[in-house]
Amino acid sequence: MSRSFAKWYDFFMNPLEKRKFIKIRQELLSKASGRVLEIGSGTGINFPLYKGVDKVVAIEPSPFMQERSRKKQSQASVPIKVVQASAEQLPFESDTFDTVVATLVFCTIPQPEKAIEEMRRVCKPNGKILLFEHVKMENRFLAVLQDWLSPAWKKICDGCCLNRETLTLLRSNGISILNVEDYYNGLFVNIVAENQK
């Protein structure tokens, strides 16, 4: 991930975060418990929002994003450790975490199936999996538009796939989805799932 993308990410996301996303994040993260793994923590936007969990271990492959997350890490009310790693190869033992969190990250993971496999491996049996993601929309016209825009968008936004079918990927890779809430006509979804294994 480039330094410039990391530098400008919060600036461009701020209008959405302030208007709606912060409440969505707070509601989702209120369901986290115990030892938490956050996948792709980016600039640390979630760090100050964790309450009542034992510890958060956050993985982030980009050193530039890690650097920008330090301020929010110091604002957190729970212990947070940031580890440089990729979602496809998590450096943790199996059945380590009570909750796994991913927010606006599955669109950029090069091998999402492998990331889901790893997420399931490190999450305890019946542990919680909490995601807030943008996905391919059900509206046919808008979905075609996403397909058309995706190649250029991917280049501009450091690999972000506008048309990733994350819900389908989760279901086809053994994730038991308990609840889905959608926002902005189904462009964004909040997913509460359980790691049944």
Side-chain angles (χ1 to χ4, degrees):
M1 187 167 284
S2 70
R3 184 184 293 273
S4 61
F5 185 78
K7 180 181 177 181
W8 290 103
Y9 182 82
D10 283 340
F11 175 81
F12 286 111
M13 290 297 292
N14 198 43
L16 279 170
E17 291 291 351
K18 278 189 169 178
R19 193 170 334 137
K20 185 81 174 175
F21 284 7
I22 200 76
K23 290 177 183 174
I24 294 170
R25 291 177 187 276
Q26 284 172 330
E27 182 187 337
L28 186 70
L29 297 179
S30 71
K31 297 173 174 64
S33 61
R35 189 178 166 118
V36 178
L37 171 67
E38 181 171 339
I39 293 175
S41 54
T43 61
I45 189 102
N46 290 330
F47 292 172
L49 306 179
Y50 285 105
K51 311 290 178 194
V53 302
D54 298 337
K55 180 181 182 178
V56 176
V57 178
I59 65 132
E60 173 52 55
S62 165
F64 309 120
M65 285 290 199
Q66 282 187 48
E67 187 182 316
R68 297 195 69 80
S69 74
R70 287 197 185 106
K71 184 179 178 185
K72 293 187 185 84
Q73 189 176 357
S74 68
Q75 296 168 351
S77 62
V78 300
I80 293 182
K81 179 183 180 183
V82 181
V83 176
Q84 188 166 357
S86 74
E88 297 97 334
Q89 196 169 1
L90 297 172
F92 311 111
E93 291 184 10
S94 299
D95 303 335
T96 297
F97 298 96
D98 302 287
T99 307
V100 177
V101 170
T103 63
L104 302 182
V105 68
F106 260 88
C107 55
T108 61
I109 295 173
Q111 297 174 282
E113 292 93 345
K114 180 64 177 165
I116 293 168
E117 184 183 308
E118 279 290 271
M119 187 168 69
R120 290 194 69 212
R121 181 184 67 78
V122 301
C123 185
K124 292 178 182 177
N126 303 315
K128 290 176 236 175
I129 296 173
L130 308 173
L131 300 98
F132 170 48
E133 297 291 340
H134 73 72
V135 294
K136 188 167 184 176
M137 301 170 81
E138 289 184 11
N139 178 291
R140 193 168 179 179
F141 171 76
L142 295 174
V144 169
L145 186 62
Q146 283 178 296
D147 288 339
W148 184 75
L149 287 170
S150 207
W153 186 267
K154 203 172 176 180
K155 288 178 184 173
I156 296 165
C157 296
D158 264 28
C160 174
C161 298
L162 274 177
N163 58 349
R164 184 153 284 171
E165 298 185 59
T166 303
L167 272 167
T168 302
L169 284 169
L170 292 167
R171 288 187 176 114
S172 62
N173 285 279
I175 301 292
S176 177
I177 294 173
L178 305 179
N179 189 53
V180 178
E181 289 182 53
D182 65 83
Y183 306 91
Y184 298 100
N185 295 315
L187 176 58
F188 294 92
V189 291
N190 229 357
I191 302 164
V192 177
E194 190 173 77
N195 191 30
Q196 294 183 352
K197 58 179 180 180

